[in-house]
Amino acid sequence: MLAKYGEDKVILNLGSGPSYFQGRRDIVNVDIFAFEEVDICAQAADLPIKSDTVDLVWNIGLLEHVESPGKVVEEMKRVLKPGGEAFIYMPFMYPIHGAPHDYQRLTGSGLEVLLSSFGGVDVQLASGTTSSMLAMMQEWLATLFSFKSKTLHDCILIMLMATTFPIKYLDKIITNHQISLSPGGFFAVVKK
């Protein structure tokens, strides 16, 4: 989806964190923390951006971190140009991760309701049961063997993520079955 938006388009990475998405420096990074890579330091529910000026809002893993996700969604809609799109990812079965806080998870149906003010909401499974189980297992093992040391926890977690990531590919088999017990997350594409 991002490939169809070139450097001549206005793209917001809402909740960017300290990185450039896919190395694209033409994307406007917005975050509550003033990382070096952040262009606009602001709350996602109160963007200092004119209405109807953005072509694409890129939003990966932010909505679980805000107290009022509905306000953030309305703010995304406000800044989008007519015909503009938003790509939104939200985890479902995933360890709690504060940045700085972690408030909620939504099912696919819940994400549809949250985004219903947009016309045509398309919600899809982003990651399946294997990814969900793996994330929980990695976090559990890192917690168990870190002995309350945050540094050791993070080192173990990174090691586990690096060594066990191929297991995620089992989702390609499992998601073909009709039953998905614990999806890792959902993404949605909406249009103003």
Side-chain angles (χ1 to χ4, degrees):
M1 180 179 183
L2 190 60
K4 67 182 185 178
Y5 289 90
E7 292 186 15
D8 60 323
K9 302 295 183 187
V10 178
I11 304 168
L12 288 186
N13 184 1
L14 196 54
S16 65
S19 64
Y20 296 106
F21 192 76
Q22 295 185 350
R24 288 190 55 178
R25 292 178 181 245
D26 61 302
I27 297 173
V28 179
N29 281 343
V30 180
D31 204 283
I32 61 169
F33 298 111
F35 299 114
E36 184 178 323
E37 299 83 358
V38 169
D39 301 299
I40 299 172
C41 189
Q43 294 287 334
D46 187 25
L47 296 171
I49 297 169
K50 290 183 182 179
S51 299
D52 304 319
T53 57
V54 175
D55 295 290
L56 174 67
V57 172
W58 198 255
N59 178 243
I60 298 177
L62 168 74
L63 293 179
E64 73 271 21
H65 298 294
V66 297
E67 289 183 50
S68 302
K71 288 181 182 178
V72 175
V73 167
E74 288 308 308
E75 194 66 353
M76 285 189 238
K77 187 175 179 184
R78 181 187 68 77
V79 300
L80 280 172
K81 293 177 180 176
E85 294 181 293
F87 178 90
I88 299 157
Y89 168 79
M90 186 174 197
F92 180 62
M93 293 296 293
Y94 195 80
I96 293 172
H97 56 289
H101 305 288
D102 191 339
Y103 294 104
Q104 66 259 320
R105 302 288 187 271
L106 294 176
T107 63
S109 300
L111 195 54
E112 281 181 15
V113 169
L114 178 65
L115 301 172
S116 63
S117 66
F118 284 95
V121 178
D122 181 24
V123 175
Q124 302 282 327
L125 184 69
S127 59
T129 303
T130 305
S131 296
S132 170
M133 178 270 315
L134 191 57
M136 295 293 193
M137 183 62 76
Q138 291 163 341
E139 182 64 37
W140 180 77
L141 287 169
T143 300
L144 181 65
F145 294 111
S146 66
F147 307 105
K148 297 185 179 182
S149 165
K150 175 77 169 125
T151 303
L152 187 56
H153 170 274
D154 293 349
C155 290
I156 292 169
L157 186 60
I158 290 168
M159 181 195 70
L160 287 168
M161 291 170 76
T163 58
T164 61
F165 82 91
I167 297 170
K168 290 184 188 184
Y169 292 109
L170 289 173
D171 273 340
K172 292 197 179 279
I173 298 166
I174 292 173
T175 55
N176 289 331
H177 297 287
Q178 293 299 316
I179 301 170
S180 184
L181 301 174
S182 306
F186 299 94
F187 74 87
V189 177
V190 295
K191 194 170 193 172
K192 180 175 177 181

